Amino acid sequence: MNEIEKEQTVSANERMILDIVRRSKGLARSAIAGQTNLTQQSVHRIIDHLVKLEFLQLGEPIIQGRGQPSPHVSLNPEAFFSIGVSLNTDDMSVSLVNFCGETLLEENIPFAPVKRLETQAWLKALLERWCQQNPSIESRIVGVGFAMTGYFIKEKGHIRPPDPLFDWSGVDLQAELEALLGWPVILINNATTGAIGEAFHGAGLTYQTFGYLSFNFGFGGGIVIDGEPFFGAYGNAGEIGRIFTTEEAPQRPALSMLIKALARQGIDVPSVAKLKTQFDPTWPGVAEWVEQTTPYFLRAINALRGVIDPDAIVLGGEIPKSLAHMLLDSLERCGMTSSQDISVWPQMIVSELKGDSATLGAALQPLRQTFFRK
Amino acid sequence: MNEIEKEQTVSANERMILDIVRRSKGLARSAIAGQTNLTQQSVHRIIDHLVKLEFLQLGEPIIQGRGQPSPHVSLNPEAFFSIGVSLNTDDMSVSLVNFCGETLLEENIPFAPVKRLETQAWLKALLERWCQQNPSIESRIVGVGFAMTGYFIKEKGHIRPPDPLFDWSGVDLQAELEALLGWPVILINNATTGAIGEAFHGAGLTYQTFGYLSFNFGFGGGIVIDGEPFFGAYGNAGEIGRIFTTEEAPQRPALSMLIKALARQGIDVPSVAKLKTQFDPTWPGVAEWVEQTTPYFLRAINALRGVIDPDAIVLGGEIPKSLAHMLLDSLERCGMTSSQDISVWPQMIVSELKGDSATLGAALQPLRQTFFRK
DNA sequence: ACAAATACTAAACTTAGTTTGTAATAATAT
DNA sequence: ATATTATTACAAACTAAGTTTAGTATTTGT
C-alpha cells in the first residue's frame, strides 16, 4: 500500500463521531460537535485525523446560514468491507457490505447447506472469487459475521442447530471458520443479526432499545439495548421461542405453521421465501391463522415488555409486510390485554428493510464492533 | 468542614477502583492493578487521591509473600451515606446505609402508607430525627432511593401503583419528594431495587447478568445487565407479571395466592411478612400450591431465558427460603421442558440476603450511581 | 549475608482533550 | 455597497490523566 496504513484501532471518541456520520448519512462538519460533549476544536481535529486515515471524506462546503461554510462529511464507502453469511435449514446466503453498510455483492448457495465441509468449501471458493474479481477489497475486509439458526451451548464457538443441520454441531465452528477463511469470524444467532440490521439501518436510527421478532421457518428474536446488540450469557438472548411449551409450539407465529395451515386449505407454498413474494392476505386460512396465533404472539410481546420494557418492538424476519400488519391489527382487536397495567406500550413497527436482514446484520457486526459507537 | 471538601464527582477509573475495593471488601493495594487495565503506578496515584478525599482508607501493610508489604485498602464506611425507602401496599420501610452499603438504621412506618401527604410527613420527620441524632451524616447523604410497587407511566416521575395506593398516582412523585426532602431522589420500581441489593451484596458478586424474581404480595422482578440495573424505556423492565393474562394471574407464583390457598386449608397467615417468619413447608396446601404454580413459574423463567439469556436467576423478595427451594425442586421434576433446546440453563439461586432487599437496594442505588463502576 | 521477588516512589514523557485567540466567510442591517 | 455579526476554521498554549523508565525499600529463601 502506498496509502497511509489503515489502523484498525479507533478510539472511543472517534467511534462516536463515525457513528454520528453514519447515522446521519453525511452532514456538515460543524453539525457534529453539538451531538457530542466535545468542543468544536476537538471534533475538528478528530475528523482531520479520520480523513487522513481515509475513513471519512470531506465534500463540498455547505452554506446553510451565516458564517463560514462547513464542509460535508461522509463515510468513505471504500474504507473497509465486511462479509456476512446467514445459514438456514434450507438455504445459505452470503453478502459483502461496504463501510456504509451497503450490500455490494450477494449470493445464495445452489444446494442445501446440510453438509458442513461441502458448504464451507463452496463458501471459501465464493469468497476467493469475489476477492479476485475485486482485488481492492481483500486487504480491507475486517471480518466475517456468520449467522446461523440454532442455540448456542456452553462450549465456546459451538451451536446446536435444528436437526437437518446436525452436521454443524459438535465442533468449534468459530475456530474452524477462522482457520478456513483467514479472517476474524463472529458467530451469531441469525435472529440477533436481524436485529443488528435493524439497529444499523432501520428502527435503530430512531430507537435505542428495542426487541426484534424474527418470523421465519421458526419464530425467534433479538434484543438491542442502547444501540448495541445484546447477546446474553451464551448468545441466546432474544430466542423468544423458549417461552412456549412443546404443546404450545404448533400455535406460535412461525411461518412454517402458516404454510401448513395454507396446505390444509389446498394452497401450496413451497418455502418461506416464496411465501414472502407470493403472499396474498385474502387466501383462505390466513385470517383464521392470524386469529388463532395472536394470543401466542401477544405473549411473546408481553415477555419482551415484561423483561426489557423496550422503546419499540420490530416485526421482521421473512414475514410479508401485509401479514405483519394483520397481526398488529389483530392485536389491537384483542385489546392488548394483560393482567396488569397496560398503559405503556412500546412502539410497534414493521421492518422496512429490503433483502435478507439476517445476512445484512451478520455482515454489519464486524464493522459495528470495530468502528461504530460502543 | 475542616476536612477536605468531598467532591462528589468521581472519574471512571476512580469508580472502577472503588468498585473493586467494595467487591473484595478490602484488599492489598498491590492486588488492585491486576484487576484493571492500568499500571501499578497509575493505580497508586488514583488510590492516593481517593485516600486524600477520605473515600478510601489505608490499613496495616499485609505481608503475603516476598517483596515490600502492601497496605490494606478499604472503603471508608463514613465517607457517605444514603437513604432507601420501600413503599408497599400495606407497609413502608426506611433505611440508612453507609458507604460500604451496610444498613445502620431501619424503621417501619406504624400505619398503612395509603395517604400520600401523611406518609411523606412521617418520612420527613423520621429523617430529621435521624439527622439530629447523628449530626455527622446530614452533609454526607448522597440521596434517597425511593422504591415503590407499581408501573411507571409515560409522564416522568409518575407511577401507577395498585389500587390501595391510589393517592400516590397522578403526581410527579420524584419532584415532590425532592422538594420535601432536599436531597436528590431516584424513583425506582421495588422489584428492581431488590435486584440492585442482590447486585451489590449477593449474586452480583459472582454473576454479571442476572434476572431477579421478586416474590411478594404480587410477583415481579428486576434485571441486572453487566452489573448495572436495567430499567428499560420507562423503568418497567423486569415486571414479569405482564406475561400472564388476566385469567392466568391467579395461578402465578405470587405469595398472596399462597396465603389464599392456605386460608382455604384453615391456616390463617395475616401478611406476607408473617408468611416469611412462620412458614412451615409441611402445611397442608403448600405442596399442592407449588405443584399448581410451577408451570407459571417456569414460564416466567423461560421468559427471562428467552429474552435476556442470563447467567443466573435469583429468587428473592419475601419468599421463605424453604419455599423457594421447593419451587426449584418442583421445576426439576417437571424436567424444565421447553419446546426447543434446553441445554443451557442459568444458575438458579435462592437469595441469601438478610432483611428487606427492596429497601436495601433503594438505599444503595444513589451510592452505586455516584461512586461505583458504571 | 545476599540474591530474587515484589511493591513503592518519582520524574519524564505521551495522549487526548480544553482554553484561548485569531482569521475567514457569508448572511443581514443600514 | 458597506459595516456588522454569526458561524466556522485553524493554531498554539495549557491541562488531565495516563504510561514509561528508573531507582528505592522490604521481605523471603538459600
Side-chain angles (χ1 to χ4, degrees):
Chain A
M1 279 211 271
N2 55 0
E3 313 149 278
I4 292 155
E5 190 68 35
K6 305 216 177 200
E7 293 277 338
Q8 290 211 12
T9 50
V10 192
S11 77
N13 281 336
E14 285 171 338
R15 260 211 296 270
M16 175 174 63
I17 285 175
L18 285 172
D19 203 58
I20 289 169
V21 175
R22 173 188 82 70
R23 285 167 168 273
S24 65
K25 303 179 174 73
L27 74 174
R29 173 157 66 185
S30 59
I32 293 175
Q35 298 183 50
T36 72
N37 51 354
L38 302 173
T39 59
Q40 174 257 319
Q41 291 86 335
S42 296
V43 171
H44 187 97
R45 187 167 37 71
I46 291 170
I47 289 175
D48 214 52
H49 182 224
L50 292 172
V51 169
K52 281 207 186 79
L53 292 174
E54 297 180 17
F55 292 7
L56 292 180
Q57 55 195 12
L58 296 182
E60 290 299 299
I62 306 163
I63 302 167
Q64 268 173 331
R66 293 181 168 189
Q68 185 169 335
S70 188
H72 186 259
V73 181
S74 57
L75 297 183
N76 170 12
E78 315 276 301
F80 292 100
F81 301 89
S82 180
I83 291 163
V85 182
S86 175
L87 176 64
N88 283 296
T89 312
D90 53 354
D91 188 33
M92 183 169 89
S93 76
V94 188
S95 73
L96 176 86
V97 301
N98 65 14
F99 197 49
C100 301
E102 296 157 343
T103 301
L104 301 183
L105 299 169
E106 187 156 19
E107 199 152 326
N108 280 58
I109 198 171
F111 52 87
V114 288
K115 293 189 196 160
R116 193 174 93 248
L117 297 180
E118 181 191 38
T119 304
Q120 289 180 3
W122 178 85
L123 174 63
K124 174 79 175 168
L126 172 68
L127 296 182
E128 273 173 0
R129 203 177 74 225
W130 280 1
C131 287
Q132 267 172 16
Q133 291 170 354
N134 309 273
S136 64
I137 65 170
E138 183 156 11
S139 63
R140 302 188 191 178
I141 288 177
V142 292
V144 178
F146 194 95
M148 75 180 280
T149 181
Y151 285 86
F152 285 93
I153 58 175
K154 280 209 162 65
E155 288 76 33
K156 185 190 156 297
H158 288 236
I159 207 161
R160 190 190 133 158
D163 291 340
L165 298 178
F166 175 80
D167 195 31
W168 291 85
S169 61
V171 292
D172 184 340
L173 203 49
Q174 189 192 332
E176 190 173 83
L177 289 166
E178 283 187 345
L180 175 77
L181 302 175
W183 287 301
V185 171
I186 310 170
L187 194 60
I188 324 177
N189 177 302
N190 65 356
T192 298
T193 61
I196 292 171
E198 201 63 43
F200 202 92
H201 282 312
L205 300 179
T206 314
Y207 301 100
Q208 283 295 295
T209 297
F210 63 89
Y212 179 83
L213 292 176
S214 189
F215 299 82
N216 303 88
F217 190 85
F219 176 60
I223 305 294
V224 173
I225 291 180
D226 282 338
E228 290 288 310
F230 180 71
F231 297 101
Y234 298 104
N236 293 321
E239 271 302 332
I240 199 103
R242 290 192 158 156
I243 64 173
F244 302 113
T245 63
T246 313
E247 303 84 58
E248 291 164 340
Q251 285 158 283
R252 73 194 199 283
L255 296 181
S256 56
M257 298 302 154
L258 173 60
I259 288 175
K260 270 191 195 165
L262 289 170
R264 283 195 296 272
Q265 301 281 340
I267 298 171
D268 180 48
V269 180
S271 73
V272 172
K274 290 274 187 266
L275 181 72
K276 172 124 195 174
T277 54
Q278 300 172 358
F279 181 74
D280 179 346
T282 64
W283 275 342
V286 171
E288 292 75 7
W289 181 80
V290 166
E291 180 93 2
Q292 172 260 307
T293 202
T294 295
Y296 298 87
F297 175 50
L298 176 59
R299 202 204 282 174
I301 289 171
N302 276 332
L304 285 171
R305 292 177 64 212
V307 177
I308 60 163
D309 187 20
D311 290 314
I313 293 178
V314 182
L315 310 189
E318 298 168 84
I319 193 170
K321 268 199 205 177
S322 55
L323 178 58
H325 285 290
M326 287 176 78
L327 279 171
L328 290 184
D329 291 346
S330 174
L331 217 52
E332 291 281 358
R333 282 198 305 279
C334 284
M336 297 179 166
T337 47
S338 159
S339 70
Q340 316 279 349
D341 182 298
I342 53 162
S343 54
V344 187
W345 263 74
Q347 241 354 278
M348 300 298 299
I349 298 170
V350 176
S351 175
E352 297 287 335
L353 294 187
K354 310 286 175 206
D356 184 346
S357 54
T359 315
L360 172 64
L364 293 176
Q365 182 57 8
L367 277 185
R368 283 195 66 266
Q369 204 175 270
T370 321
F371 297 107
F372 299 102
R373 174 149 31 192
K374 205 158 288 168
Chain B
M1 280 213 272
N2 56 358
E3 312 147 280
I4 292 155
E5 190 68 34
K6 306 217 176 197
E7 291 278 337
Q8 291 212 11
T9 50
V10 193
S11 78
N13 282 335
E14 286 172 337
R15 261 211 294 270
M16 175 174 64
I17 285 176
L18 285 172
D19 203 57
I20 288 170
V21 175
R22 175 187 80 71
R23 285 167 168 275
S24 65
K25 303 181 174 74
L27 74 174
R29 172 160 67 185
S30 60
I32 293 176
Q35 298 184 50
T36 71
N37 51 354
L38 301 173
T39 60
Q40 175 261 317
Q41 291 86 334
S42 297
V43 170
H44 188 96
R45 187 166 38 69
I46 291 170
I47 290 176
D48 214 50
H49 182 223
L50 292 172
V51 169
K52 281 206 186 78
L53 292 175
E54 298 181 16
F55 292 7
L56 293 180
Q57 55 195 12
L58 296 181
E60 290 299 300
I62 306 164
I63 303 166
Q64 268 174 331
R66 292 180 171 191
Q68 186 168 337
S70 188
H72 186 259
V73 181
S74 56
L75 297 183
N76 169 12
E78 315 277 302
F80 291 101
F81 300 89
S82 179
I83 291 163
V85 182
S86 173
L87 176 63
N88 282 298
T89 312
D90 52 355
D91 188 33
M92 183 170 89
S93 76
V94 188
S95 73
L96 176 86
V97 301
N98 66 14
F99 197 48
C100 301
E102 296 156 344
T103 301
L104 301 182
L105 299 170
E106 187 156 21
E107 199 153 326
N108 280 58
I109 198 170
F111 52 87
V114 288
K115 294 188 195 162
R116 194 174 92 248
L117 297 181
E118 181 191 39
T119 303
Q120 288 180 2
W122 179 84
L123 173 62
K124 174 79 175 169
L126 172 68
L127 296 183
E128 274 173 1
R129 204 177 75 225
W130 280 2
C131 287
Q132 268 171 15
Q133 290 169 356
N134 309 273
S136 65
I137 65 171
E138 183 156 11
S139 63
R140 301 187 190 178
I141 289 176
V142 292
V144 178
F146 195 94
M148 73 180 282
T149 181
Y151 284 86
F152 284 93
I153 58 176
K154 280 207 163 69
E155 287 76 32
K156 185 189 156 295
H158 288 235
I159 205 162
R160 189 188 135 159
D163 291 339
L165 298 178
F166 175 79
D167 195 30
W168 291 86
S169 60
V171 292
D172 183 340
L173 205 49
Q174 189 191 333
E176 189 173 84
L177 289 166
E178 283 188 345
L180 175 76
L181 302 175
W183 287 302
V185 172
I186 310 170
L187 194 60
I188 324 176
N189 178 301
N190 65 354
T192 298
T193 61
I196 292 170
E198 200 64 44
F200 202 93
H201 281 312
L205 300 178
T206 314
Y207 301 99
Q208 283 294 296
T209 297
F210 63 88
Y212 179 82
L213 293 176
S214 189
F215 298 82
N216 303 87
F217 190 85
F219 176 61
I223 305 293
V224 173
I225 290 179
D226 283 338
E228 290 289 309
F230 180 70
F231 297 101
Y234 297 105
N236 294 320
E239 272 300 333
I240 199 103
R242 289 191 159 154
I243 64 173
F244 302 114
T245 63
T246 312
E247 303 82 59
E248 291 164 340
Q251 283 158 284
R252 75 195 199 280
L255 296 182
S256 56
M257 298 302 156
L258 173 59
I259 288 175
K260 271 191 194 164
L262 289 170
R264 283 195 295 272
Q265 299 282 340
I267 296 171
D268 179 48
V269 180
S271 73
V272 171
K274 290 275 187 264
L275 180 73
K276 171 124 194 176
T277 54
Q278 300 172 358
F279 181 74
D280 180 346
T282 63
W283 277 341
V286 171
E288 292 76 5
W289 182 80
V290 166
E291 180 91 2
Q292 171 261 307
T293 202
T294 294
Y296 297 86
F297 175 50
L298 176 60
R299 202 205 282 172
I301 289 171
N302 277 331
L304 284 171
R305 292 178 64 213
V307 177
I308 60 164
D309 186 20
D311 291 314
I313 293 178
V314 182
L315 310 189
E318 299 168 83
I319 193 170
K321 268 198 203 177
S322 55
L323 178 58
H325 285 290
M326 288 175 78
L327 279 171
L328 290 183
D329 291 345
S330 173
L331 217 54
E332 290 283 357
R333 283 197 305 278
C334 283
M336 295 178 168
T337 46
S338 159
S339 68
Q340 317 277 348
D341 182 299
I342 54 161
S343 55
V344 187
W345 263 73
Q347 233 7 270
M348 300 297 298
I349 298 169
V350 176
S351 175
E352 297 286 335
L353 294 188
K354 309 289 176 203
D356 182 347
S357 54
T359 315
L360 172 65
L364 293 174
Q365 181 59 7
L367 277 185
R368 283 195 66 267
Q369 202 174 271
T370 321
F371 297 107
F372 299 101
R373 174 149 33 191
K374 207 161 287 169

